[in-house]
Amino acid sequence: MNHPPVLLVIAHGSRDPRHAATVQALVRRAGALRPGLRVETAFLDFNLPSVAGVLDRLAAEGVRDVVALPLLLTRAFHAKADVPAVLRQAPASLRIRQAEVLGPSPLLIAAVERRLYEAGLAPGDKSATGVVLASAGSTDPEAIAVIAETARELRRTGWCSVRPAFASASLPLTEDAVRALRAEPGVRRVAVAPYVIAPGRLPDRIAAGAAEADVLADVLGPSPELARLLLARYDGAALAAERVTAAAV
């Protein structure tokens, strides 16, 4: 009997205990959507289990196929360097396919809007509300460009204005984007939407920068859209692996 590849979700990790708890809740939600799929969680840093530890355990259990999914919104340093480096050290008996990062995706736009509505806004508020899409930040030009395009896509759903902002490494900062939106014509309220998956030091910095905003949404967390996106990225990687195998036969 052929078993589907194990889904290994690789999160960054944080000293903040809320981070790991949120990641685990998201992974559980994704697993519940796909009964029969084995889903594991590992962390690059700060939290256990480690990626190496989970891969060693899977190999010892006789698992052969793994889809490694970076729990990241953009292809920045962690996706391009850290994750491939740790996967290269996996036991030779494992066949590992690295899935694409989560963003960009319409499901992420839907998750952002869900959090804004949960924070008290309604679809009818869009035309008078400016949104700061606040990410953790990166020095990677590709990642910054993706955040900018995501802000444009969010704007196209009907919000009065959307500006990207960052907690670190890039400008503008959240508080500066809030002030800039406040000065835009037509903007009667300003909302900050954290474009981050789980709580931690940088999301807390985003929240502090939202002090002058009217609305602060929650992190994306274990939203239904993110759970579905995890499975979509898994399916894409698993299908690509099947095609490679079939072509080699």
Side-chain angles (χ1 to χ4, degrees):
M1 178 181 178
N2 291 328
H3 295 281
V6 171
L7 170 56
L8 173 60
V9 178
I10 301 177
H12 181 269
S14 170
R15 292 185 178 88
D16 189 321
R18 297 173 299 167
H19 176 90
T22 301
V23 169
Q24 296 287 7
L26 172 59
V27 173
R28 284 194 302 272
R29 187 160 204 167
L33 293 176
R34 187 72 60 87
L37 174 63
R38 180 171 178 181
V39 185
E40 299 278 349
T41 309
F43 298 90
L44 289 171
D45 205 357
F46 302 118
N47 302 105
L48 293 174
S50 67
V51 179
V54 173
L55 292 173
D56 287 345
R57 174 165 54 81
L58 291 174
E61 293 176 11
V63 170
R64 289 295 174 261
D65 294 297
V66 176
V67 169
L69 171 59
L71 195 64
L72 302 167
L73 297 175
T74 62
R75 288 190 72 255
F77 182 79
H78 295 304
K80 294 177 180 178
D82 289 346
V83 172
V86 73
L87 294 180
R88 283 195 294 269
Q89 300 171 18
S93 62
L94 292 175
R95 292 186 293 260
I96 302 176
R97 183 84 177 187
Q98 182 174 329
E100 295 293 331
V101 297
L102 300 181
S105 169
L107 286 169
L108 288 170
I109 300 294
V112 168
E113 290 202 299
R114 172 186 291 275
R115 293 304 187 224
L116 286 167
Y117 297 150
E118 289 173 349
L121 294 172
D125 297 324
K126 282 186 170 186
S127 63
T129 302
V131 177
V132 175
L133 187 72
S135 74
S138 174
T139 57
D140 188 297
E142 180 184 353
I144 294 172
V146 168
I147 298 299
E149 177 57 26
T150 301
R152 287 191 289 270
E153 288 296 321
L154 183 61
R155 168 67 181 83
R156 292 185 188 111
T157 68
W159 298 95
C160 181
S161 181
V162 179
R163 287 178 178 252
F166 306 92
S168 69
S170 309
L171 296 174
L173 298 175
T174 304
E175 51 267 38
D176 295 328
V178 168
R179 295 186 188 108
L181 273 180
R182 186 77 71 190
E184 283 194 24
V187 174
R188 294 203 294 270
R189 70 182 65 80
V190 175
V192 173
Y195 194 62
V196 293
I197 294 172
R201 178 176 58 87
L202 293 179
D204 283 349
R205 190 176 295 175
I206 290 172
E212 296 179 22
D214 303 296
V215 175
L216 172 62
D218 200 357
V219 299
L220 301 177
S223 65
E225 294 82 6
L226 250 66
R228 289 165 50 203
L229 184 52
L230 262 61
L231 296 177
R233 293 291 185 255
Y234 167 84
D235 289 340
L239 180 60
E242 286 177 10
R243 288 173 175 165
V244 170
T245 302
V249 174

